[in-house]
Amino acid sequence: MQRRHDRKASKNRDQFTEQEKQSRINHSKRSVGRHEVRSWTTATKQSLCLMWQKVKVQLMLGMSFLVTICWYCRRLYSFLAQLLKWWSNYLQRKLIRNLSVLTEVDLLGYSAREWKGETKQAKHMREAYEELFWSYHIKYLRQVRRDNYCVLRAVLFQIFSQGIPFPSWMKERDILKWTEISATKDHEERGNVCNTLFSDESKEHKLYEAIKFIMLYEVVEAYEQIKNREEPIHNLFSLLFARDSSSDPLSFMMNHLNSIGDSICLDQVELSLLGYLLEVKIRVYRLHKFNTEEFQVDYPDEYRREWNEISLLTEDDRYYHIPLFRT
């Protein structure tokens, strides 16, 4: 009995020992598996870290390169923008300085820019411009340099650009030697010649002084006719000689003609004289006289039907622009 009990106990011990061994083996296997997993995870992490370090360096280099490129592009853009601005300002200054009759601009747009605000004068001028636009079909204007030659400039520019011929008596007496401009038939070529002439200040002034000489010549002729009681003269000469400051050709030259371009502009009598000697009707739209009978005035007031017509636009009877008609 005792032996059977011992054998059973021994058998149980053997079974327990065998289970313990198997448990230890399984635990060992699990430990090895966990170690292998940890080793693989560690290796993977290390590989990823190494890879990230390499990629990080490449990314840093790439980002630095992109930042550098962007910086240089920005500097280049800034430089080109400054260069373009400088060149644009240079050309603008040169054109504004040299070109005394600018290209056409929209009439109402010009009015809105020049006469902003709600003052009585601003409203009056805007209404006058709107009247020109809607009732007189003046859609554009060409700005003329604001100096004391502006009337002569505006008149002569239109004569040249429109190809209006000079009076035959000027050609017969060889007073003018620049008259081939008016004889140019091609409109584009004539426009180019006009732009060349009216961008050369020296040539412009010589032209204006020649016109002033012709005006004096015409006054002397009229004065001699009055003295000799010859054929009737134009009414404008009676007005001219009725002034105390121009009662004869010498006083006219000293008190009026010499100062034109330097300190004074043409007045209305001299504007009539200019139209008379060039044989053109000069129609002036006087915006400051809007809603009066003097809003539209012709110089001279007596003219021949066959004379060509040119137009001027003024806000103050001192500075003039060139109106352009469109139907």
Side-chain angles (χ1 to χ4, degrees):
M1 188 71 179
Q2 182 66 32
R3 289 181 181 176
R4 186 180 305 134
H5 178 76
D6 291 340
R7 284 197 300 270
K8 186 176 180 179
S10 177
K11 185 176 180 182
N12 290 334
R13 284 195 298 270
D14 291 341
Q15 288 178 352
F16 178 78
T17 303
E18 189 68 25
Q19 289 178 355
E20 184 179 4
K21 287 181 180 179
Q22 188 64 36
S23 175
R24 289 178 179 176
I25 290 172
N26 291 336
H27 178 73
S28 178
K29 287 182 178 180
R30 286 195 299 271
S31 299
V32 170
R34 285 195 297 270
H35 178 72
E36 289 179 351
V37 170
R38 285 196 297 268
S39 298
W40 181 84
T41 303
T42 303
T44 302
K45 288 181 178 180
Q46 291 176 350
S47 299
L48 290 174
C49 287
L50 290 175
M51 186 181 297
W52 169 246
Q53 291 295 329
K54 292 181 180 179
V55 172
K56 184 178 179 180
V57 172
Q58 296 295 327
L59 287 175
M60 292 295 292
L61 290 174
M63 290 297 294
S64 299
F65 178 74
L66 288 176
V67 170
T68 303
I69 291 296
C70 291
W71 183 81
Y72 276 108
C73 288
R74 185 175 179 180
R75 291 294 301 271
L76 179 61
Y77 173 80
S78 178
F79 171 76
L80 291 176
Q82 291 179 357
L83 181 63
L84 182 62
K85 183 178 180 180
W86 176 85
W87 182 248
S88 176
N89 291 336
Y90 170 78
L91 289 178
Q92 188 176 16
R93 289 194 306 268
K94 192 172 182 64
L95 287 174
I96 290 177
R97 183 178 67 248
N98 289 340
L99 192 59
S100 59
V101 180
L102 302 184
T103 57
E104 63 184 50
V105 296
D106 177 71
L107 183 79
L108 294 183
Y110 173 83
S111 169
R113 289 192 303 272
E114 293 294 317
W115 295 100
K116 298 178 181 179
E118 297 301 321
T119 65
K120 184 177 180 180
Q121 184 182 19
K123 291 180 179 179
H124 180 84
M125 285 298 178
R126 289 200 299 268
E127 290 175 1
Y129 276 108
E130 290 175 1
E131 180 71 11
L132 292 178
F133 186 89
W134 296 110
S135 300
Y136 295 86
H137 305 292
I138 298 175
K139 308 300 183 183
Y140 302 91
L141 65 81
R142 299 190 71 155
Q143 294 174 261
V144 179
R145 181 183 294 166
R146 292 174 176 252
D147 59 21
N148 291 316
Y149 280 124
C150 67
V151 181
L152 290 173
R153 182 179 293 115
V155 170
L156 292 175
F157 183 88
Q158 291 184 78
I159 288 176
F160 289 141
S161 62
Q162 296 178 25
I164 297 175
F166 286 100
S168 57
W169 66 268
M170 290 187 185
K171 298 175 183 178
E172 292 171 359
R173 303 184 188 183
D174 198 25
I175 294 178
L176 299 176
K177 300 180 180 180
W178 33 273
T179 55
E180 67 276 3
I181 298 178
S182 297
T184 304
K185 300 299 181 182
D186 185 74
H187 179 74
E188 183 176 356
E189 182 182 354
R190 194 165 60 242
N192 292 333
V193 174
C194 283
N195 289 335
T196 300
L197 174 61
F198 289 91
S199 62
D200 189 321
E201 189 173 352
S202 176
K203 289 182 178 179
E204 267 196 274
H205 288 183
K206 290 178 181 177
L207 174 63
Y208 304 144
E209 293 302 316
I211 292 295
K212 286 165 62 175
F213 170 77
I214 298 172
M215 293 171 71
L216 178 61
Y217 177 89
E218 193 72 15
V219 169
V220 171
E221 288 279 302
Y223 189 75
E224 291 297 325
Q225 290 178 9
I226 292 175
K227 284 180 60 177
N228 298 329
R229 301 187 179 210
E230 297 179 0
E231 59 186 74
I233 62 172
H234 197 281
N235 182 53
L236 73 92
F237 292 104
S238 300
L239 296 174
L240 188 146
F241 293 129
R243 301 185 302 184
D244 293 336
S245 58
S246 59
S247 57
D248 56 67
L250 180 60
S251 61
F252 170 68
M253 180 183 69
M254 298 298 295
N255 298 326
H256 294 271
L257 204 56
N258 284 348
S259 299
I260 293 175
D262 295 327
S263 58
I264 63 173
C265 211
L266 272 70
D267 61 20
Q268 296 183 38
V269 175
E270 290 146 7
L271 189 56
S272 294
L273 175 61
L274 180 64
Y276 175 81
L277 67 90
L278 294 176
E279 295 184 359
V280 292
K281 179 179 72 173
I282 303 174
R283 173 159 291 177
V284 180
Y285 298 93
R286 307 167 70 199
L287 274 67
H288 61 295
K289 298 292 185 179
F290 178 57
N291 285 333
T292 71
E293 294 181 354
E294 298 178 337
F295 176 61
Q296 177 184 301
V297 183
D298 295 329
Y299 300 98
D301 54 359
E302 298 177 8
Y303 52 86
R304 295 180 182 176
R305 183 177 299 177
E306 66 269 17
W307 287 5
N308 290 282
E309 179 181 318
I310 62 175
S311 299
L312 301 177
L313 183 154
T314 181
E315 297 175 347
D316 53 12
D317 283 342
R318 182 176 181 184
Y319 298 121
Y320 293 77
H321 297 307
I322 300 172
L324 301 176
F325 297 83
R326 297 287 190 275
T327 56

